[in-house]
Each structure stands twice: as structure tokens, then as C-alpha cells.
Amino acid sequence: MKKIKKYLIKEEALESFDVIGICTSQSDFRLAWQLNSKFDIKLQKSGRTLEIPNKKSGDLELFDYYYFQHPEDLISYYLIKNKQNARYVLTEKQSIDYALVLQENHVIDGLELVDDLRNTEEIIAAFYFKSSEFSNESYLIFD
């Protein structure tokens, strides 16, 4: 009788990333412009969408976002409007208007960034979160 081989597949652990929650009454393009001016970045509307499955129906929810990858620091910035088409990206933080996601961030102190945002005109509040605080963390990976 032939012996059956077993293979274990190890799932790669997701690298934690920073999420900055922003409360403001500004439109998405206006906020992107303001962040571009203040932090010398170039957020632009992406032609792609973030896909997150709906827990109840299983259908994919599509969310637009702004994107910029810094050429020197290699930090990827994503600005997402939290509520789009009556659905939330960050269901646990429905009071947040926007999420600024920083992936591959090894340079910027998230808490200092929050302080800078809090001192920005038109931004009512800013909060710092780790990606692990969200149930849909694995879907906040952008391609």
C-alpha cells in the first residue's frame, strides 16, 4: 500500500499597516488635494476599486479610492471614503468619514501624522488605528 504524503501550506501573515481615520465634511477630491498640498504627496483617483464581500449576501461591494506610492520612501498611500453606496469600508468605525491607509510605512510616525491632520483646516478629527483592529483587514490589501 502506498503511503500518502501530507503537505502543510503555511499562510503568510499579513503585514500590519496604519489606518488614519479622518472626520471632515470635505468631498473626496478636495480632501485629496488638501493632503497633497500639506504632505507633498500626489494622491490621484485610482482606476481600480477595492472589493470587499458583504457578510450577509456574499456580494462584492466596490469602493473607489485615491492612491500614491512615494518614489523614495516606498510608502503606499490610499485614501478611501468610508461610506459609499450606503455601505461602509470600516464597519467598526462608521463615524469616520475617510480612511487614510499607509502600507509599507517604515518612515512616518502615525501618531505625528494624526497630530498634523488635527491641526489642518477643515479636518474636524483624526484617529490612529492598526489594521488588526478591523474585521475586514485582509480585504484592505490593494493591488
Side-chain angles (χ1 to χ4, degrees):
M1 183 176 218
K2 206 173 194 182
K3 193 171 187 178
I4 298 174
K5 291 183 180 180
K6 290 184 181 179
Y7 295 98
L8 288 176
I9 299 173
K10 293 183 181 178
E11 187 178 327
E12 277 188 47
L14 291 175
E15 185 173 326
S16 181
F17 48 88
D18 301 321
V19 179
I20 311 294
I22 301 173
C23 296
T24 183
S25 59
Q26 292 188 62
S27 60
D28 55 356
F29 67 88
R30 180 77 175 138
L31 179 60
W33 176 83
Q34 190 171 21
L35 294 174
N36 287 344
S37 300
K38 182 163 182 84
F39 299 110
D40 196 30
I41 58 176
K42 295 176 177 67
L43 288 166
Q44 295 180 347
K45 190 153 191 166
S46 175
R48 306 180 100 179
T49 56
L50 177 64
E51 299 177 349
I52 300 178
N54 184 306
K55 290 180 183 178
K56 292 180 183 174
S57 68
D59 295 335
L60 285 179
E61 308 278 343
L62 304 177
F63 297 94
D64 295 325
Y65 61 90
Y66 288 76
Y67 168 75
F68 173 68
Q69 182 169 14
H70 198 284
E72 294 169 9
D73 300 336
L74 301 179
I75 299 171
S76 295
Y77 296 83
Y78 300 92
L79 178 66
I80 312 160
K81 187 172 185 177
N82 193 25
K83 185 177 182 183
Q84 296 182 37
N85 302 320
R87 300 286 185 208
Y88 290 94
V89 175
L90 306 175
T91 54
E92 297 90 346
K93 307 290 182 190
Q94 294 183 7
S95 61
I96 300 296
D97 297 313
Y98 294 91
L100 180 63
V101 177
L102 282 72
Q103 291 182 342
E104 303 295 328
N105 178 19
H106 305 288
V107 179
I108 297 173
D109 181 355
L111 296 175
E112 285 182 21
L113 179 59
V114 167
D115 285 341
D116 286 345
L117 287 168
R118 287 178 178 161
N119 294 320
T120 302
E121 194 174 319
E122 300 292 328
I123 292 181
I124 300 165
F127 306 95
Y128 177 79
F129 307 104
K130 290 304 268 182
S131 59
S132 57
E133 295 181 46
F134 302 103
S135 61
N136 60 358
E137 167 190 21
S138 61
Y139 299 109
L140 293 176
I141 304 299
F142 301 84
D143 293 324

